[in-house]
Each structure stands twice: as C-alpha cells, then as structure tokens.
Amino acid sequence: MRVPVFTPAVCISALCLLGCGTQVHSVPNPPVVSFKPQAFQPPENCLPCHQRQFDELRSAVKSGYRNVSPLFNGLESAGNLVNGGLLRPVYKDSTVVLPDGTLLNTNMYTSPVLTETRQVQAGFCFTCHNANIEVLGDSDLTKREVPQLAGLGTCNPAPPAGQQCFQPQLFRPLRDYVMVDANGNQILPLAPGGDPPTGAMPSLAAAGITCDYCHDENGPDLNRSFQMDGFGNTSLLLNQTDLKVGPFLHPVAVKNNFHVASNDPDKIAFLRAGAFCNTCHDVRVPNRNLVAEEHNMNPGGENVSYFRLENLSTEWQIGPYNSTSNPFGQIVRCQDCHMSLFPYAGTTTYQVGDMTVTSPTPGMFATDYAAVPGVATDQNAPLQQRKVVEHYFTGVDVPLLTPTELSARLGPNYPDPYAAGTDTHGVPDGLATRRADLMKAAARLSLSKSDTTAQIGQKFTVRLEAVSLTGHRLPAGFSQERTVYVQLAVTDNNGFLLYQSGYVVDKPHPNTGENMPDGNLDDEDLEHLHAVVDPGMHTATYTAGTATNGGNNLVFEAGPDDGPDARIFVGAQEGLVLFRNELTQIFLPGQPIGHIDPVTGKSVMAKGVHFEETFQAALANAVDNFRSLQPLHPQTYSYEIQLPTQQQLQAMGVTLQGPLHVHAQINFEHFPPLFMRFIAGVTSANGPSGNNLNLVDEHRIDSLLKNVQNIASDDVTASLTP
Amino acid sequence: MKLRYRYPILVLLAVAGILVAVFAQSGGYTPGEFQSTNPNYPKPNPFYFEGKIDWNLLGITTPQNAWEYLQRGMHFQDDMNDIPDAINDYQTALSMNSLQSKTCKVVTMADLVMINGKLTVPAQITPAPCMFTLRLRLGFLMRATSPSTAIGLFQEVLQIDPQRLGVNTLIAETWVIEAQQATDPPTQQQDYANAIAAFQAELALSPVTQQSMALTGDTANNSKVHWELAQVYEATGQNNLAKSELQAYVSATKWHSDVYPWRIALANSQIQALAKVK
C-alpha cells in the first residue's frame, strides 16, 4: 500500500487553496478572544516596521484624503442638509425616539441587525469610511470625533417638548471634526467649514481606512449585510486586539510583541479574497427603490428597503473575473489589479469576442520584504523576501485639494498626487499617473464594422464596438457620477467637421460665478443634457425636504447630443454613448418636480409618473446600473449620421473631399461639472446652512477637476461618393 | 506500522490538530453564500425598471411577462440587429401591458396611498403600471411603416408622463413622416400643422425663463427642435417663422454647438437667404 506523502509545504498549500477562493465565512457570534486588547492604531504606529506600506497607503484616496475630500464632505453635507442630519451617527447614549416608539441608539455599524431605516441612515457615509472611529466613540466620549446632531430630521413635525430642531447653521462638514491639537484634543475651525486652526493635526479619523482597519478584520458580518452574504455597507467584523491578520501563515514574531499575527487560515484567506473587499464596495442606500423591490433579508429587517448605489462587488462577484472563464484562466481578485504591479508588469494578448486585445497582466507582484529587516522582528530575526502587495489601491480618483491643502489637513509632506518618479518596484509615485495608466488599461474600442463608403446627402453608419477589461463594470464605484464616454468625430479629408458626439464646449457658468468661458474644457459638461440643480437656501426655521434645501433640478433640458435617452428608451442609433449609470427620481403625480412655471411663478407639479435624473443621491428612488459597460462583453453602438446634401454644401460654400475620417476615443470624466456645481451651491453661504462650508467652488472645479482623455481610441476612413 | 507511513500520518494528525484549534479559536465559521436571487433581475415595486439590462445577465430562457418580452426585444434590436424579432417581442409585450385591454394602467393620484404620513405608491398596483420604454421603442420602429400607430403609442407615453422630454418631438417627427407620405395637399397641411403643434409642445416643457437664463446664460435651448421646426415652416412656406426658428436654433447652439456643427453655418446662410425673400 502506498500512502501519499504530505509534506508541510503541501499541507500549507492545501490550506491556502481551501481559503483562497471567494467563499466567505462568518462568525455568527463574536469569538471569545484571548488576545491583548488594543485600540485602533494610527498608521504612524505601523510605520517603523512597515515603512513602504505606510508610504503607499498614505497616497491612497481611501486613506486620509477621502475624509477631507471636498466632494465626499460636500455630498455627505448635501444629504444631511436635505433630511435634517439623518446621515450623522447616533450613539449608545442617544435618546432619539423613532415615530414607532423605538429608541434609536445604534448606528449602521453598531446595530446587530438593521431593522430600522434610521439605523442604516445613522452614520451612513461615515461608517464606510470610519467604522473604527464610530466604534471607539460609541461609549467613550473622549474618543468620539463626530458628534450626534441635535434635532435629527426635525422640524417637520416639530420636535417633542424640550428638544430643539435641527439647526443647519450649526452644521459642520465631517472634516471639521478630524483635527486635534498637539495634546491630541479635538479642535474645530472657528466657523463651520473654516480653515484648519493653527497647530491643527490630523486625528485618527482623518486617517480613514488605516492599516488596522483591514488587518483587524474578523470576518464578514452576515447579520448586517442586507442579503446575509457579507456584501456592502461595511459588513465587516473588526477586532480591537493586538491580533493582526496578514496575508500569510506563520510570519516571524514581531518585535516587542507590538502585535501578534493571526494564523487563522480562514481569516487570512478572507483578507486575500475579493470577499474582503466586498464588505465595503457595495453601497446600498436605505431608500425605497420604486423599480426594484429589495429589502434587508435578515430576520426583523423586512422594513429596510434599499437601492444599490455602488454595486461594484456584486458586479465582480457574478462577473468573469470571479471565475476561470476569463483570458487569464484563473480568478482575478480585486487585489490582483488594485494591490499588484498592475498595469506595470507586462501585457497579455487575448481574444474577446471578435476583438484582439493586448492589455496589462493582472496578479503580478513584486518581491520584497513584508517588513523592514533589522527593525521589525523579535530578536532581529532575519526576514525573507517574498511576493508582496502594493498598498496604493489606485482607482479613478485623485484629490481635489492642492498639495498645500492636503498637508494642512493630513499632516506635513503629504504625497503630491502629481509627483514624478517611480518607487523601488517601478510603480509611479504620482497618483495621477497611476490613475491615468489604470484607466488606459480599462477599455478598448474598434470601428472596424463601420461603413466603408459614404455618399453625400445620405446616411452613413459608424459602428463602434467597445469592451471593458475591468473586473467590474466600467465605470464602477460611484458609477452614477463617474463618467466614461465616447468622443467621436467624422471629418472630411480637409478637416471639415461633419458630425461630433461626446464633445464639450467652453461656456459660462453664471450659477457659480464663471461669467465668461475660461478656456478650460475639463469643467464642461457633456452636451446630452443641460441641468442646473437647486442649491437650496437658508431659512429661519428649518424644514426637512427639497422645498428650501434644494436637490431638485431647476433646469432640465435635452441637449443636442442626447444619446443616452435616445438609445436606451427609444432605440435610436444616435447621440452620445455614455457609460455612466443613472440615479433617477420618480416623481409621483402631484409632487413638485423643482421647475418653476414662468407664468405663475409656482412650482411645476408632476402630471403623471415622471422619471428624471437626479444629482442628489439622497432623493433617488430608482437607479439604472446597467448603462456602464459590462466586463469582457463587447457592445456595439451605431451612429446613423446624416451627411449634408449637395445643395446644403453649396449654400455653405463647402466642397467635401474624401475619404471621410472617423476618430473615436473613450474618455474619463472625474465627476460631471454640473454635479460639482450643485455641491458648490448647496454648501455655499447661500445654501441651506447659511455658512460657506468651504468645500467646492468654481475655482476648485477649474483648477483641480482633471479628466483622463483617450483611454482607448480607433480610427477608420470611408471613401466618399457624390 | 512501517516507519515510512509514520511521517505522513503524523503530519495529517498535526494538520487536523491545527484545524481543530483554529476553528475552536474562531468560534466556528459558517459559510456565507452570495445572495440566492439574481441581483440583476428587478422585481417591480410597483413600477417596472424602464431601461435596458444586459440580456445575458437576466437569466431568462423564455420570456414570461411583458417586461421580459421588452428586454428580449431590446436585445434583438440593439445586440442582434434583428428588427423583425424585436418588433414581434415588443408587440407581445404590448399585448400584455395594454391600455386598451386594461392589462396596464396609467398611475394617477388616485392610486397613491398614505404611509407614515407620506403620500406614496403601494408596492403593487392592479393592473400593473404601463411601461413607456416599450411604447417608445415600438413606436420608433413603426414610424415609417405605420406612422399613425407610432403616434398612438407615443401619445400613450404622454398619458403616462406628460412631462417626459423628447416624446412630443417623436410625435412631431412622425407627423412630418406622415406629411411626406401624404398624397393630398389638405392632409399634408394638417400633418404639418400637427407636427408644428407637437414641436411647440416640446418647447413648452423646457421654457427659457429669466431664471434659466440667469443660471445658464442660454437665451434659447432645444436646438434640435428649433432646427426641425424651421424645416417644417420652410416646407410649408412660412418663411418668417422659419427664419425665427433658425435664429432660435443659432442662439441655442451658441454655448452648445451641435452634433452637426455645419448646420450652424447653414442656418446663418438660410437666415440671410430668407431675409431677402419678401
């Protein structure tokens, strides 16, 4: 009889294989831990032994930047200003009583099961970006960085006797709270939204997603995920001990026992899997979705309905990269693109449909030390080099703050997003460069199926095939505002422009003080839609809702390049190819839609069931997450282009010369400028708070909103006949 | 037991021991399964998802209801370029979501209910709400072959949502097709008149107001409608009105250009030519 020989290496490999898939495991009840309690640590405490990881993480937007981001803070403020602060956390000592008599004293993270919509709303944005801070501050007032607001959701109806209304003039953006003095005591700007006080330093909350946040993981929290699957809304259990979960078993012991490394193969496998990222990268908003019934599946959670804002994790979970049916023949995890050398470690050529694609290879990792040799280990035990991950977490975002502003809020020497040079692994130091390179790996297009001949006065069809190479749809994340689109132009041989789509025009923006075109195109909206969102206004007595707090569209007009509506709802082959998803507000009959009747001066009411795109996420009651480009699934979009007649050409004094040239390229727009201008308005001194929250203005839009042009392109020609 | 078997068995026992210890330490893990329902298939609540979902993600083998036929029709039309099958599916969907046979309804204020002090719509409405995407898609494909059917479908969309942008333009464009197909002048004149009325109804939905001018700097909007309306006026010999619409078109393109930018030069040339016509 022969018995297979199980060497330790084989056993470890087998354990790894068991844990490296995407199946997630849960701890139904918090484990009984015997590790030394350890509060969440600031990343600086990890720096001495993990300098490289610290440096990389510091430039990741999910780390410090997001917490001081004008956009994130503005969006969170806009949501609170329309609903009376409901998105701010409540804590254990809360005395808020809900209309049904329930005491509201748990938030999105501390509620064991989310049975009330208000629990999900409580700390909705803050939880995803600072769950550890929310936990620390739940019972310890000295560690509570973001306070519970008074008068949540009031005054409509008026609050109970003895309680005050929500007071928008006292409202501060979250980032006001993430500063401390030299003694570690919280300090606030003098006025809401003011500049950092002298001597201000970043607090623990300012660090956002820290080393501890991930390495304190204790598995998914199925009870708080709406589908009981560990997806979304920070359905992650966190330890507060010195036990840290790393990516491999049996690391060398840590100097001075600063922490111990988990040898739990499940937790290690979880950290290494897409499932870990899934706990946060679906964002489900607790508003009723009028076109899709979804509610919390957990017992008691039936009344919590939601719509899917970020749906990235679900997209990956059911997509080709979470299988072996992709060009790489193996599961490609989030970590393989966002924590690897991607897109700087070689390319692979493969076939997608009838398109031959060459793109960067995922899952390539540098060889390096996981900790600093001679510093990190007990008795300076030697370390071995191994495959290590990058902690840049590069995505589509770059800070909308200057380097000076970043350093003022996040500490000196904050990495310049536009820095030149590369690190020791050959990865660019500048986040902007990494973002652009990542985007350029995201899609390909082809015009090869277009008509090869065109005739004056007739229709000419351009057929554009586009494919996303991403692990999720493109765009993903906040995909209802992140914008990927096709810019297309048809010219004759002399450069005479016959057709354009996906173009922008330099124009004034009087609503934010740009009264003349400024020569900048990155601050211009695409021409499928002309919209201006109501920024609201401050009133003596606050009433929740859109009447004075804004959010509805004051102007909402179809533009000349209206492809999204024409293509989706009508089936016409014309206009802008836009891969941006859409938040929709469905107005019910009789509801004010935000426009003002020019004759009566009164609000225009919905005469039927009226669907309209909204740029205020808090007002959305439907979402279309299928406009983005599905991964590895080429889509063809036709443009039926009417060429001018000979008579029209004569009237213009133009003679066309063949061949026609068709150029198409995919561009990425950081955020729609009109969305930024809404945030600018609602957080301005004229907005509902009555204070300039110092977040977004026209100058910031003009100077820092940088788009990525020409992610992919193609050109063809067509012969022209009279 | 021979020595050569001892080592692997000891290792197995050790591994088993580690596993037991690990699971004891973690309190026992239970598998988490991804949600059992298809996250890409929206269950109406009460409105249908109006839009297109990638057909391959829906998991539909054979359509069972109006919405599924609509989705397959869109797949045929957009992904397969199979227009006859698309029309078939749209027509089947329409037969299941029809105002005439009362298999759908236009939701009005009377359908709303008060929940928690707020007027809202119940999760279920019987019959189900009428879908507008279905009518727009089918109408668009029938414009040339059956313009009156197309206009009827577009008008049903206006019953569902009288303020939906672009629907009046579709009606107007279809009246223009009718006019071009008409053989007798009175019918043609009436068709053009209907087109003009529909274009004007479209313009009325996004009026240029003091507020809109202050916010945008635009003194005109809806360039496409102004352009097409000018063509109708020109075709019916109403030159002053044609000139006026061309001027509105040029104004509307001032900060927005056009997908056909040469039309701006052409419009200016036509304005000059029309100015010379007495």
Side-chain angles (χ1 to χ4, degrees), chain B residues 32-48:
Chain B
E33 301 291 340
F34 183 62
Q35 68 175 88
S36 55
T37 52
N38 181 354
N40 297 315
Y41 189 103
K43 181 183 165 196
N45 188 34
F47 302 111
Y48 289 103

Side-chain angles (χ1 to χ4, degrees), chain A residues 1-8 11 15 23-28 31-32 35 218 222 227-229 231 243 263-267 284 288-294 308 314 317-318 473 496-500 503 505-511 517 527 530 532 554-558 560-561 565 567-574 586 588-591 593 596 598 604-611 623-624 626 630 633 635-636 640-644 648 651-652, chain B residues 4-5 7-9 11-12 15 18-19 22-23 25-40 42-54 56-57 74 77-79 81 107-109 112 115 118-124 132-134 136-137 140-141 159-165 170 205-209 211-218 221-224 227 231 252 254-263 265-266 269-270:
Chain A
M1 179 185 169
R2 283 183 66 87
V3 174
V5 177
F6 288 90
T7 65
C11 295
L15 282 174
Q23 189 180 58
V24 296
H25 294 71
S26 174
V27 185
V32 179
F35 298 97
N218 197 20
L222 305 188
Q227 293 285 334
M228 303 169 75
D229 54 8
F231 275 65
L243 176 71
N263 283 321
D264 181 335
D266 278 328
K267 288 178 187 166
R284 298 175 185 176
R288 182 178 170 196
N289 182 344
L290 292 180
V291 300
E293 201 288 312
E294 289 204 275
R308 292 163 185 256
T314 293
Q317 179 73 23
I318 59 175
R473 297 178 78 103
F496 183 80
L497 186 57
L498 288 159
Y499 178 81
Q500 59 179 343
Y503 65 96
V505 181
D506 194 14
K507 61 172 77 67
H509 298 283
N511 59 323
E527 287 295 339
H530 305 151
V532 178
L554 289 172
V555 174
F556 191 79
E557 307 163 353
D561 196 15
D565 270 20
R567 289 176 184 277
I568 294 166
F569 299 114
V570 181
Q573 298 180 334
E574 62 185 38
I586 301 176
L588 299 175
Q591 283 186 335
I593 60 175
I596 302 297
V604 174
M605 303 294 174
K607 293 175 182 167
V609 176
H610 179 63
F611 286 53
V623 63
D624 182 349
F626 300 95
Q630 192 185 159
H633 194 81
Q635 289 279 318
T636 299
E640 273 194 358
I641 297 164
Q642 178 67 51
L643 297 180
Q648 289 171 324
M652 292 184 283
Chain B
R4 65 183 175 129
Y5 295 140
Y7 177 62
I9 287 168
V11 171
L12 272 174
V15 168
I18 290 169
L19 285 172
V22 160
F23 280 86
Q25 170 197 313
S26 64
Y29 283 85
T30 54
E33 301 291 340
F34 183 62
Q35 68 175 88
S36 55
T37 52
N38 181 354
N40 297 315
K43 181 183 165 196
N45 188 34
F47 302 111
Y48 289 103
F49 175 85
E50 297 272 6
K52 182 188 171 188
I53 295 179
D54 310 79
N56 65 311
L57 299 180
M74 289 192 278
Q77 182 183 0
D78 298 350
D79 306 333
N81 200 25
V107 175
T108 66
M109 283 185 78
L112 306 185
I115 297 176
K118 198 175 160 192
L119 207 56
T120 188
V121 63
Q124 221 171 4
F132 60 79
T133 307
L134 167 61
L136 292 172
R137 286 253 179 177
F140 188 74
L141 289 177
Q159 286 185 56
I160 300 166
D161 179 6
Q163 289 146 308
R164 184 166 186 83
L165 299 181
L170 287 167
L205 287 180
S206 25
V208 177
T209 64
Q211 183 193 45
S212 70
M213 285 192 286
L215 291 170
T216 65
D218 288 329
N221 60 19
N222 272 306
S223 60
K224 182 186 175 192
W227 171 264
Q231 310 311 306
K254 180 179 179 185
W255 299 119
H256 304 286
S257 189
D258 194 355
V259 289
Y260 296 107
W262 48 269
R263 282 182 176 170
L266 182 61
S269 144
Q270 287 177 334

Side-chain angles (χ1 to χ4, degrees), chain A residues 465-542:
Chain A
E465 196 174 14
V467 64
S468 163
L469 309 175
T470 48
H472 37 70
R473 297 178 78 103
L474 179 72
F478 190 12
S479 59
Q480 299 82 11
E481 303 302 343
R482 301 288 189 195
T483 304
V484 178
Y485 66 97
V486 175
Q487 181 181 359
L488 184 132
V490 180
T491 53
D492 85 338
N493 205 38
N494 293 320
F496 183 80
L497 186 57
L498 288 159
Y499 178 81
Q500 59 179 343
S501 178
Y503 65 96
V504 291
V505 181
D506 194 14
K507 61 172 77 67
H509 298 283
N511 59 323
T512 43
E514 184 182 317
N515 293 318
M516 290 298 290
D518 62 357
N520 175 20
L521 291 179
D522 275 353
D523 72 330
E524 301 301 346
D525 285 293
L526 292 162
E527 287 295 339
H528 66 297
L529 172 74
H530 305 151
V532 178
V533 186
D534 182 2
M537 59 182 174
H538 182 65
T539 53
T541 303
Y542 178 83

Side-chain angles (χ1 to χ4, degrees), chain A residues 138 343 359 607 701:
Chain A
D138 196 40
S359 76
K607 293 175 182 167
I701 295 168

